[in-house]
Amino acid sequence: MTMPTLAASPVLHVQGLTFAYPGEPALVADWSVTVEAGITLLHGDTGSGKSTLLRLLAGSLAPAAGRLTVAGVRLDADPAAYRRAVFWCEPTSDAFDQVTARDCTTLLRGDDAGFDAVEWQTLVDGFALTPHLDKPMYMLSTGSKRKVWLTAALTSARALTLLDEPTGALDAASINCLMRALARISERQRDRAIVVASAEQLDRVPLAGVIALPLQGP
């Protein structure tokens, strides 16, 4: 596991995290890590537990033990405030199927006052989403749904953004748009961390750190 060396103050602190599904070996056992601002790659093969770990970091899955802190807010002390500091959307979610792509973005951004509307439009153009913005989400392809979620995630001002296999179902042009956006964020934003779970390396993006699965303890 290689962690950041050149960054601003830490965004995410994980202390003594432990989790296992019933009857299965522990995915995480007394694991601690600090994630700095910038792009961190959560790297592992399919089935290695990347999605589960993201759910733990998002606060949507309860660990057996441990403490999670984002931007100074502890999950166990103030769960609502913690989740407001994290952008997370399940990539297979059907929760937004009945609303338009435009309204889906509004719901996902919530009360995020720092939402970057200019960058959102740049990504809408780069992902070729304009013809789909006023369609219900259930009418969109898997790739187009993912692009809608990515435009909201990448333009968020929340302290921690979690992306699960963001290139899945994307065409080559959209992958290029995504990589350019991640590179921009890496260069411009010094108080925000993005954890990207992927089975592929992110060779075109400057990384603040890499977390490799399976985890090897503290």
Side-chain angles (χ1 to χ4, degrees), residues 30-211:
D30 194 25
W31 180 61
S32 298
V33 74
T34 297
V35 175
E36 310 281 351
I39 313 298
T40 292
L41 172 64
L42 176 59
H43 185 254
D45 294 334
T46 300
S48 61
K50 298 187 299 296
S51 296
T52 298
L53 187 53
L54 289 186
R55 293 184 187 106
L56 287 164
L57 299 181
S60 61
L61 191 61
R67 177 180 295 173
L68 295 166
T69 306
V70 168
V73 180
R74 282 173 36 188
L75 175 62
D76 60 332
D78 194 340
Y82 179 97
R83 294 185 183 106
R84 285 196 299 270
V86 180
F87 188 103
W88 164 246
C89 180
E90 290 274 2
T92 58
S93 174
D94 60 3
F96 305 99
D97 277 2
Q98 301 304 314
V99 302
T100 66
R102 193 186 303 275
D103 289 342
C104 177
T105 299
T106 300
L107 291 170
L108 286 170
R109 64 181 284 191
D111 58 358
D112 186 352
F115 179 84
D116 189 339
V118 173
E119 179 69 9
W120 180 82
Q121 187 61 57
T122 297
L123 290 172
V124 165
D125 295 340
F127 285 141
L129 275 175
T130 300
H132 305 298
L133 288 179
D134 296 308
K135 296 178 183 177
M137 290 285 284
Y138 74 83
M139 293 182 62
L140 303 188
S141 67
T142 299
S144 292
K145 285 183 179 179
R146 190 177 295 267
K147 292 181 214 178
V148 172
W149 295 328
L150 284 170
T151 58
L154 295 171
T155 51
S156 168
R158 297 179 194 177
L160 178 64
T161 295
L162 306 171
L163 303 179
D164 193 0
E165 297 288 359
T167 61
L170 296 190
D171 55 88
S174 295
I175 291 173
N176 288 336
C177 176
L178 170 63
M179 294 305 162
R180 289 194 298 270
L182 289 172
R184 287 195 299 272
I185 291 168
S186 178
E187 291 171 1
R188 297 175 185 174
Q189 299 188 11
R190 304 301 181 189
D191 58 354
R192 178 184 178 195
I194 298 182
V195 177
V196 180
S198 177
E200 305 294 331
Q201 296 288 347
L202 297 180
D203 296 330
R204 290 182 280 170
V205 178
L207 294 178
V210 176
I211 300 172

